[in-house]
Amino acid sequence: MNDVTGRTSNAARTIEARVLNAIDEAATVRLLADLVRVPSITGTDAESDLQDACARLLSDSGLDVDMWKLDLDALRSYEGFPGTEADRSEGYGVVGTTEGDGEPALILQGHVDVVPTGDVAKWEGQDPFGARLTGTTLHGRGACDMKAGLAANLAVVRALRQAGVRLARPLAVHCVVSEEDGGLGAFATLARGHTGEAAVISEPTSGKIITANAGALTFRLEVAGRAAHGATRYEGVNAIEAFWPVFQALRRLEHERNRDVDPLFAGNALPYPIEVGTVRAGDWASSVPDLLVAEGRLGVRLDEDPADARAALEGTLAELDDPWLRRNPVAVTWPGGQFASGRLPEGQPLLGEMAQAAADVTDQNPGTTAAPYGSDLRLYVAGGVPSLHYGPGDVRFAHAPREQVDLRELRDVTRALALLVLRRCGVR
């Protein structure tokens, strides 16, 4: 696609224009709306339904499709299994690959699952899966995280077919399940042998390129109390009160772990958050609760071994200067999803290629940053596939009842990904 000076040739520019002109923006918005209307909450049957739909869309675009049922029991026994949090009875992998010589020069990856809606009343009377349109914005659960990115990936291969362009080297599109609770789908896809030279995961990035993710580990704390009748509470120890110094210790640990952060996080107020998401205590209104169970997430620093992150939290709680907790130590376990950190290797040409494609579409340098949340990126990097994030949406809308995506970002990302595919895979 380029001449010996590295400049895009006239022939290449003609092909790029043809593919960009073949991107049907209205059809891409309709595709996104259709994706959002499938309530593919992690672990539900609808997640499988959407995988089936993605397989058909890829097949209709002329790709060779591998769709398989995940062997959940076998995957749990594999080294590096990322853990899960949602109950599931099944899961499917979907990979579409274009024709071309050798291994895929590029992977476009997206996850089909979304988090639960929460209190539906908080959606201001709107159906969370209604895919409501207002101006240039589409609203709904998953619109931002990450069905807009998924729609962009699918729109690229649709445009290639519409333009009649055949790639010299393969492009692979990975549609995965279970990203929200650990990355089982990506783990299974890589274990099946679907790899490539590089990957773009089209998670929401607000116009920037994300080259690194912090990790996140789910923890469970059990804080003991001593039961008594509520009328004689002085005979007992309230597990809720016993939890307060534990919570304060977590906040101090969070402050300590965020003192010296990687320059990639410049401008991010809290790269490695620690948060308690659920608290349960007591079983009777007039009894002193003798057990509190708290679950939360611990941020893993870039390049930190997750075992060291676990040890930091466990050590902090073991050293609490509290008479009751010294006699009744907090029990710490690590259930659910376990996201290590990950980053694009230094000097990887994918970063410059993605930045150039984005700049050619938007006339702006996208800039690079890191994200404080875990993602499938670390699984691809650990599997030998250099990866980054570039996709439509603002992550501040993700997992919220105001979830939405700006359709202009969907347009720009689709066009930038199309240019990257043409330049990286080449044309026959």
Side-chain angles (χ1 to χ4, degrees), residues 55-279:
R56 284 186 277 108
L57 288 164
L58 291 169
S59 181
D60 290 345
S61 294
L63 278 69
D64 180 27
V65 176
D66 180 19
M67 182 175 183
W68 72 99
K69 189 171 184 178
L70 307 187
D71 187 335
L72 300 177
D73 290 336
L75 288 166
R76 291 187 188 100
S77 70
Y78 289 177
E79 183 179 357
F81 176 69
T84 58
E85 296 186 25
D87 293 330
R88 71 168 56 249
S89 60
E90 66 176 21
Y92 289 88
V94 172
V95 171
T97 309
T98 67
E99 63 180 348
D101 299 326
E103 73 170 340
L106 182 66
I107 296 166
L108 298 181
Q109 196 259 32
H111 65 83
V112 302
D113 61 314
V114 300
V115 298
T117 62
D119 184 357
V120 175
K122 299 287 176 59
W123 289 79
E124 299 179 353
Q126 302 296 326
D127 178 2
F129 298 104
R132 179 170 59 100
L133 271 169
T134 60
T136 61
T137 303
L138 189 142
H139 305 258
R141 172 58 83 230
C144 169
D145 185 15
M146 65 165 289
K147 290 181 177 178
L150 187 64
N153 296 346
L154 295 169
V156 168
V157 294
R158 181 183 284 178
L160 290 171
R161 182 174 179 83
Q162 184 67 29
V165 169
R166 298 173 60 202
L167 299 176
R169 297 190 57 202
L171 164 71
V173 179
H174 294 188
C175 303
V176 303
V177 301
S178 194
E179 188 275 347
E180 295 290 358
D181 71 332
L184 169 68
F187 182 76
T189 298
L190 293 163
R192 193 169 172 86
H194 288 294
T195 61
E197 281 192 359
V200 173
I201 302 173
S202 49
E203 292 272 15
T205 63
S206 298
K208 294 183 180 294
I209 297 174
I210 290 176
T211 59
N213 288 120
L217 308 177
T218 299
F219 59 78
R220 186 176 191 266
L221 311 178
E222 293 186 10
V223 181
R226 185 171 63 222
H229 193 292
T232 57
R233 68 175 183 81
Y234 45 82
E235 296 291 338
V237 175
N238 191 313
I240 298 172
E241 289 184 86
F243 174 65
W244 180 239
V246 174
F247 185 78
Q248 290 179 306
L250 293 177
R251 282 289 183 255
R252 291 193 298 270
L253 177 63
E254 178 186 66
H255 177 73
E256 178 183 325
R257 288 173 60 80
N258 282 274
R259 279 182 181 168
D260 183 21
V261 300
D262 192 286
L264 270 173
F265 283 110
N268 190 306
L270 196 63
Y272 309 121
I274 303 175
E275 186 59 295
V276 174
T278 66
V279 176

Side-chain angles (χ1 to χ4, degrees), residues 136 144 148 152 203-208 361-362 390-395 397 404-416:
T136 61
C144 169
E203 292 272 15
T205 63
S206 298
K208 294 183 180 294
V361 169
T362 65
Y390 181 71
D394 184 334
V395 74
F397 292 123
Q404 59 188 260
V405 68
D406 189 324
L407 297 174
R408 293 167 295 188
E409 290 186 33
L410 173 60
R411 174 200 63 204
D412 289 347
V413 167
T414 303
R415 294 170 70 84

Side-chain angles (χ1 to χ4, degrees), residues 311-328:
L313 185 142
E314 292 170 359
T316 294
L317 298 185
E319 295 166 2
L320 282 170
D321 185 18
D322 179 275
W324 174 258
L325 295 174
R326 283 200 299 272
R327 295 193 302 273
N328 301 271

